[in-house]
Amino acid sequence: MPSLEVNVARVESRSALWVDRGLLEKLPTLVSIDHYSSVVVVADKGAARATSRIQASLQLSSSSILAIEGGEGQKSVDGLVHIWNFFVDKKLDRKSLIITVGGGATSDLVGFAAASFMRGVAFIHVPTTLLAQVDASIGGKSGINFKGIKNLIGSIAQPCAVIIDIDTLSTLPERELRSGFAEVIKHGLIADANYFKEVASQNCAQWSPEELVSIVFRSCDIKKRVVEADESEQGPRKTLNFGHSIGHAIESYTLENGPPLTHGEAISIGMIGEAFISYRLGKISQEDLSAIERGLENTGLPTRLPLPISPDRLRELISKDKKNVSGRVKWTLLNAIGVAVFDVEIPEKLIHEALSHIQSGGSCA
Ligand code: GLY
């Protein structure tokens, strides 16, 4: 079965990563649970089917499973305390194993709870959304939101394994699948032009489960290489932020003012804004910019804001991004399709041009 190993030097840890169908039934062959003093599962209530499969496969009692609400709203101090209380009630020790099941918000929250409990207890991610499979579950970022700022408190701690069972996507709403495809397309744009062409060639709902195994594996492989090169995001890991400076501003705005866009929808529009900046700086051609727009549209993702948001308001939100240094925005841009550059500073006027470009009805050049 397709597998990878993510090796990071900083803490000399490694994560085994498997991608295939039907993996949850094979868990006993992938994880030696006898190694651990106890095993608990913290699972998103929305991932009940995957959780039952894990429970049956590892023969766990119901009392070793904590079901939590999924979503960003849980990534709070209260959410964290709820999980720590469960760990204390279950008498976890340093040799215990925690299995997280659900989307990216669950792996962020429970990964942080595990990484901070007793200075770190082993954990395995079982991501059940495409977004979590290709992004949140790889690379060890975990944390909670604080004072209205996403992931303000957190850590980087690697899971001991990531187990991606593509069958968990069969019940994923199409809008959530599309949201994950924004990150898949981003992987192509920052690292592999051929991969971009391939994954942006059709509506994402048309891929078969077998094709999704291959797509998820290739995206994980791209992300693994980036994380291995720079676990702590001092350099190349910043390339993963392509589309996210503008995208996070759009996501925050629509969360507060509604109707909310998914992360992937906001990042898709953000990638158009940041590809436009790359084009205006002469880094990519107008044909490249059009190909990126077409690719996102083929997939079913938006390329323009669904409602007008004033460029000034978006600019204000961009300035609050925690990626900024000394108040200056450091952009990740494209030097070509498949090649990203990071820490680029650009004139203020160009930011406004890009924010006008993504308004509905904006034109390509
Ligand atoms: N989600 C981007 C990263 O893991 O660096």
Side-chain angles (χ1 to χ4, degrees), residues 135 138 141 186 223 233 237 240-241:
D135 188 23
I138 310 162
K141 282 189 181 175
K186 180 197 78 181
K223 181 151 184 193
E233 201 172 307
R237 189 164 181 169
L240 294 168
N241 296 331

